[in-house]
Amino acid sequence: PAPAEAGRVPGPPDGGWGWVVVFGAFVSIGFAYAFPKGLAIFFKEIQDFFGTSYSEIAWVSSIMLATTYGAGPISSILVNRYGSRPVVMFGGLLCGVGMISAAFCTSILQLYICVGFITGFGLALNLQPSVIIIGKYFLKRRPIANGLAMAGSPVMLCTLAPLNQFLFDNFGWRGSFLILGAILLNCCVAGALFRPIGPGTAPVKTQVTEEGKDALKGKITEDGPMENKTEEEGEKDCFEKVNQYLDFSLFKHRGFLIYLIGNVLMFLGFFAPIVFLAPYAKHTGIDEYSAAFLLSILAIVDMVARPTTGIVANSRWVRPRIQYFFSFAIAFNGACHLLCPLASSYTGLIVYSSFFGLAFGMVCAMLFETLMDLVGAARFTSAVGLVTIAECCTILLGPPIGGILIDTFGDYKYMFIKCGAVMVLAGTFLFIMNYYNYRMLAKEEKERKAKEEDPKSVRTENEGKKPWNKDSIQDGPELEPLKEKREGLKKEMNGT
């Protein structure tokens, strides 16, 4: 860059290479979200192979999803340090290694490690950077870009569900895991498309910062002896270093806290219905390919719902109150699960899958857009990391709790009722609290404008404070002790 523009931070281009970045995010986000759900095709056979229960086999997807979300802060720190491109490429490599290793597992515990932790951590390094870099490339068209990128999940799920069934029939679950590990290496290619914005900005900023530090050190040395840092200062520096990557001041942000509580509750019932949809269909006597086709139907509807939701959310009627739209989508999702036990035939399950795909796509399309709407693009990286680490607990527990209910009652309907009730509760909570938040923001804005428009109140307030001004107060004999104390403080400050 030219010297005059070297320190200037480039703005979002809202197009151009950004659409190529959206395609890369489409691939990496698609694998991150769809892959744990697509593995449900193998669960019945792996369960019979190792002789495990529903709750034990559910831990495979649960650990993978929880690791994907729980490693969010690590992913955010790596993105802040190295950028999105190398992080996604390394994540794709980890995914491939994890799935290839899983093909040689001889116990369910080894599957937890290879598929759950290693592959899950690789997917985490794919998910967070892909979401973050879209916020850097887009501003006005951000909801549409997010909707298109999030559509990668249903497209991948629609492809993976029949593909996994085909691979299993021809190669078994071990051979399928080997092939899937090779397919996941395509995340490295997707990461290579994430060209960073303004490559010349960071070095200039670092150079200026270093020069400032050197000048400050020289000034301290000239003014007086440099004392050793106290323990309190060391702790402060450590906290500032951590806070540089994860902004913990977000926990004082009212809107962020509302979003966090609602999402933590929602994820207790968000993924379990997808994990158990194909096994539930097989349990009712439906053949394997028809059960896998239910996931494809869900994915096809989801594929259309995500970009459509992005366009609707970007409209001038919805975007100012997008939090209400998000709350409705969560409650609608829960209502679908509550009605699922009524679908006893295959036709009923097709109808359920269609409505579930619509509701699921609406939630996923706005999941990160609503967070960015609350905290802004500057604090979004930290917000994603903090939200995902909080959500991983309920994501980890959701499917196993559903498996325990199935093992206990021998029926899937109690699992669907639990998930539906939890999500309706989360949607209602978010709707009420967002209404409160909007009211408080309007009230605070009104008070701020009133203060700006009424200079008399500001002047009266300043006069009432009666500030201590050395120009307006005469030095007398009664002020001599204070004057001497002030001079002593000045000398002490100059000496240190």
Side-chain angles (χ1 to χ4, degrees):
E5 299 177 356
R8 189 180 302 168
V9 179
D14 265 315
W17 187 261
W19 298 116
V20 180
V21 171
V22 168
F23 174 74
F26 174 92
V27 174
S28 55
I29 290 174
F31 278 121
Y33 275 122
F35 197 76
K37 305 163 197 167
L39 285 182
I41 299 295
F42 303 102
F43 281 0
K44 185 70 178 172
E45 287 70 27
I46 294 174
Q47 182 183 349
D48 296 337
F49 184 85
F50 289 114
T52 59
S53 63
Y54 281 105
S55 57
E56 286 176 323
I57 196 65
W59 280 104
V60 176
S61 275
S62 190
I63 291 171
M64 184 189 289
L65 286 165
T67 306
T68 302
Y69 277 77
I74 299 173
S75 183
S76 296
I77 289 170
L78 291 174
V79 171
N80 283 334
R81 181 69 181 84
Y82 300 106
S84 293
R85 177 186 277 175
V87 174
V88 173
M89 294 177 74
F90 179 66
L93 185 63
L94 273 182
C95 290
V97 170
M99 287 306 296
I100 291 169
S101 303
F104 302 97
C105 290
T106 56
S107 68
I108 193 72
L109 181 61
Q110 292 174 1
L111 275 181
Y112 292 162
I113 295 169
C114 294
V115 178
F117 289 108
I118 298 176
T119 307
F121 185 64
L123 293 177
L125 299 184
N126 275 274
L127 177 60
Q128 317 296 343
S130 304
V131 174
I132 290 165
I133 199 165
I134 289 175
K136 293 181 179 178
Y137 267 91
F138 290 90
L139 180 62
K140 292 180 181 178
R141 299 176 181 173
R142 195 178 64 217
I144 299 173
N146 273 323
L148 290 171
M150 288 295 179
S153 174
V155 171
M156 291 296 178
L157 183 58
C158 181
T159 308
L160 284 173
L163 175 64
N164 286 351
Q165 190 64 52
F166 172 79
L167 292 175
F168 174 76
D169 291 340
N170 290 274
F171 304 102
W173 69 269
R174 292 187 185 276
S176 301
F177 279 14
L178 275 173
I179 297 170
L180 289 173
I183 291 173
L184 282 173
L185 292 175
N186 284 287
C187 293
C188 301
V189 182
L193 300 176
F194 292 171
R195 182 194 296 169
I197 296 181
T201 306
V204 172
K205 186 178 178 183
T206 307
Q207 185 181 354
V208 171
T209 309
E210 293 297 327
E211 287 175 0
K213 285 181 179 177
D214 293 340
L216 183 61
K217 285 179 183 177
K219 191 174 187 310
I220 292 172
T221 310
E222 288 173 7
D223 289 345
M226 186 176 177
E227 295 181 0
N228 293 329
K229 282 187 176 181
T230 62
E231 188 177 346
E232 186 179 349
E233 287 172 342
E235 290 175 359
K236 186 179 178 182
D237 288 345
C238 181
F239 178 76
E240 286 176 354
K241 194 173 287 185
V242 174
N243 203 52
Q244 180 183 355
Y245 299 108
L246 292 174
D247 187 4
F248 289 101
S249 66
L250 283 165
F251 287 108
K252 297 179 181 179
H253 192 292
R254 185 173 57 241
F256 174 78
L257 288 175
I258 293 170
Y259 177 92
L260 182 65
I261 295 169
N263 274 255
V264 166
L265 183 61
M266 175 194 75
F267 276 107
L268 197 60
F270 192 60
F271 287 115
I274 289 187
V275 171
F276 288 109
L277 179 58
Y280 172 50
K282 292 179 184 178
H283 178 76
T284 57
I286 297 169
D287 64 276
E288 289 84 355
Y289 276 96
S290 298
F293 186 62
L294 289 174
L295 288 174
S296 297
I297 293 170
L298 185 152
I300 290 168
V301 178
D302 188 4
M303 193 190 312
V304 178
R306 294 197 190 204
T308 306
T309 303
I311 293 169
V312 172
N314 198 43
S315 64
R316 59 189 179 92
W317 298 283
V318 178
R319 191 164 187 180
R321 294 292 182 267
I322 195 173
Q323 306 296 334
Y324 290 147
F325 193 30
F326 182 56
S327 307
F328 165 75
I330 294 173
F332 176 50
N333 204 319
C336 292
H337 302 326
L338 288 174
L339 296 174
C340 178
L342 300 177
S344 55
S345 64
Y346 186 63
T347 307
L349 285 175
I350 289 176
V351 174
Y352 164 71
S353 300
S354 302
F355 279 99
F356 183 22
L358 174 63
F360 192 84
M362 289 172 66
V363 173
C364 290
M366 292 184 290
L367 194 61
F368 294 109
E369 176 59 34
T370 48
L371 179 59
M372 193 177 290
D373 176 71
L374 288 168
V375 302
R379 305 170 79 184
F380 180 67
T381 306
S382 295
V384 170
L386 293 172
V387 164
T388 50
I389 191 66
E391 289 170 349
C392 75
C393 301
T394 49
I395 290 171
L396 181 67
L397 295 174
I401 290 174
I404 290 170
L405 290 173
I406 296 168
D407 291 332
T408 304
F409 298 101
D411 198 340
Y412 282 79
K413 70 177 182 180
Y414 297 102
M415 185 273 299
F416 284 106
I417 291 171
K418 182 270 296 184
C419 294
V422 165
M423 294 199 69
V424 169
L425 179 63
T428 307
F429 168 82
L430 282 172
F431 191 89
I432 294 170
M433 294 307 296
N434 282 319
Y435 174 75
Y436 166 76
N437 188 36
Y438 278 132
R439 289 288 299 272
M440 291 299 294
L441 288 173
K443 184 180 177 182
E444 288 164 4
E445 181 67 16
K446 189 177 179 182
E447 290 176 356
R448 186 184 65 81
K449 286 183 177 178
K451 283 185 180 179
E452 289 178 356
E453 292 172 0
D454 191 7
K456 289 183 180 180
S457 62
V458 178
R459 189 167 63 247
T460 308
E461 186 181 348
N462 290 337
E463 287 172 358
K465 287 181 181 177
K466 293 182 181 179
W468 188 279
N469 193 337
K470 64 178 182 178
D471 297 326
S472 61
I473 298 174
Q474 297 179 354
D475 294 339
E478 64 275 13
L479 297 178
E480 282 298 321
L482 289 175
K483 188 176 178 182
E484 291 174 4
K485 187 176 180 180
R486 188 170 60 194
E487 293 294 331
L489 281 171
K490 279 185 181 178
K491 290 178 182 176
E492 186 178 349
M493 286 170 69
N494 290 332
T496 58

